[in-house]
Amino acid sequence: MKLIIQIPCYNEAASLPETLVALPRQIDGIDSIEILIIDDGSDDNTSGAARRFGVDHIVRHRTNRGLAAAFQSGINKALAEGADIIVNTDADNQYEGQDICKLVAPVLAGEADIVVGDRGVRDNAHFGPFKRLLQMFGSATVKRLSNTQITDAVSGFRAISRAAAQKINITSSFSYTTEMLIQAGRKRMAVVSVPIRTNGAIRPSRLFKSIPQFIINTAATMIRSYAMYNPLKVFALAGGIAALIGSAPILRFVYFYLIGHSNGHIQSLVIGGSLIVLGVVAIMFGAVADLVGRNRQLLEQSLERLRHVED
């Protein structure tokens, strides 16, 4: 049983050594542990720092492509290197390395495909009140959209079985965390949480520059991911709302027509008719998008079979 610990990095030469030192070198049930660094276009010699500490694999992007792309590159490399379990952690030592034992335990026991480290957001001393509220609201939203029982949706501390990794295809340009859970829920994977420990932040996040930017990007990722896997539901809802709103001015016109005062109310008929047409068009787009989604599922299944063949 091979475990590969992957660490996406962007200018992490200063913090990476401490993170590497904290990683476990032996875990019960694991025959070998290897470390994979994804250098996402760093300009501070992050790769050099990784080599000095003897990491087993380094994947380097020529330019900074973002966390989601770095994560997917790591998954692809780990699968190619024969990983049976893949653990993703951060380079800034936010997560306690020894808790990797907790993460892999449900996968080893055959109880989970994906395990997410729960930072205990509600009581975490390293989080301020606003961040706690934001994290809890976001996790509750992702929990509903993904139909998974996850309480810390944006935690990057995760263990993934080989079979699950072969099915995951991240398309977001921002972060993999929420999209991965929505995919996992849609694909009926077993996803569980385990409590883990965290260390204090040593620097501001490099994923986003401000809280509003994080909220906007995360919300866009959730909407896009949910719409990708549930297009008919999303477009039918949008179309139904438009048609419902459009029915109001039409009913208004009918009322005035029945009492003999239809003159001057033609605009209600035009507006209502336009909204109903838009609603019907939206539902038709949803049907087409659903068919396209079925084709995407076939392509994903083909990619999964190809990955199995490459094994």
Side-chain angles (χ1 to χ4, degrees):
M1 183 71 67
K2 177 189 284 191
L3 166 65
I4 291 184
I5 304 171
Q6 70 170 41
I7 309 176
C9 300
Y10 178 58
N11 290 337
E12 301 287 4
S15 60
L16 183 59
E18 184 179 4
T19 301
L20 295 174
V21 169
L23 298 178
R25 300 300 188 236
Q26 187 175 355
I27 298 175
D28 291 342
I30 301 293
D31 300 312
S32 65
I33 300 176
E34 298 178 1
I35 301 173
L36 164 64
I37 299 299
I38 306 97
D39 184 349
D40 189 27
S42 301
D43 54 18
D44 69 343
N45 199 28
T46 292
S47 294
R51 291 189 186 95
R52 285 195 297 274
F53 276 78
V55 302
D56 301 280
H57 312 284
I58 297 176
V59 173
R60 177 167 172 78
H61 294 167
R62 293 187 179 89
T63 59
N64 180 250
R65 292 166 53 187
L67 179 59
F71 174 84
Q72 187 63 60
S73 293
I75 292 293
N76 295 340
K77 178 63 174 177
L79 289 174
E81 294 296 335
D84 297 297
I85 303 176
I86 303 168
V87 165
N88 186 87
T89 188
D90 286 356
D92 60 0
N93 201 36
Q94 174 187 172
Y95 308 109
E96 181 61 52
Q98 293 302 316
D99 283 348
I100 288 176
C101 301
K102 297 180 182 179
L103 278 185
V104 301
V107 179
L108 286 172
E111 299 171 352
D113 299 304
I114 298 173
V115 183
V116 180
D118 184 349
R119 296 169 292 178
V121 174
R122 187 184 299 272
D123 303 312
N124 195 308
H126 302 303
F127 291 176
F130 179 69
K131 185 174 182 180
R132 291 177 188 174
L133 181 63
L134 184 63
Q135 296 280 21
M136 288 189 291
F137 175 76
S139 294
T141 302
V142 174
K143 180 179 179 180
R144 184 174 182 83
L145 293 178
S146 64
N147 195 29
T148 59
Q149 301 303 310
I150 296 300
T151 51
D152 190 2
V154 296
S155 170
F157 200 35
R158 305 185 174 198
I160 312 162
S161 71
R162 182 175 185 84
Q166 290 171 330
K167 296 177 182 178
I168 293 295
N169 299 287
I170 302 300
T171 61
S172 170
S173 59
F174 178 60
S175 177
Y176 60 89
T177 53
T178 54
E179 180 182 355
M180 180 180 173
L181 291 176
I182 292 173
Q183 279 194 39
R186 178 67 176 179
K187 295 175 181 179
R188 301 287 197 268
M189 297 184 195
V191 184
V192 301
S193 292
V194 296
I196 52 96
R197 295 166 291 172
T198 60
N199 301 310
I202 59 175
R203 57 160 177 76
S205 172
R206 293 199 176 104
L207 180 61
F208 55 91
K209 296 180 180 179
S210 65
I211 294 297
Q213 183 192 43
F214 173 77
I215 294 173
I216 292 171
N217 287 336
T218 300
T221 299
M222 288 192 291
I223 294 171
R224 188 184 303 113
S225 299
Y226 187 77
M228 180 183 296
Y229 287 92
N230 301 275
L232 184 57
K233 182 184 293 186
V234 171
F235 280 96
L237 178 62
I241 291 173
L244 183 63
I245 294 173
S247 65
I250 288 181
L251 290 174
R252 178 176 181 271
F253 173 82
V254 171
Y255 169 75
F256 283 111
Y257 178 80
L258 291 177
I259 63 175
H261 296 287
S262 60
N263 293 335
H265 299 288
I266 297 298
Q267 67 272 20
S268 296
L269 186 63
V270 173
I271 293 172
S274 298
L275 286 172
I276 289 177
V277 169
L278 286 175
V280 172
V281 171
I283 294 172
M284 292 174 63
F285 273 131
V288 173
D290 188 64
L291 294 175
V292 173
R294 301 297 175 181
N295 287 331
R296 189 203 64 253
Q297 291 176 22
L298 293 175
L299 290 174
E300 288 181 341
Q301 291 171 6
S302 298
L303 178 59
E304 183 182 350
R305 293 191 188 99
L306 179 62
R307 286 170 171 169
H308 280 295
V309 170
E310 290 175 346
D311 289 347

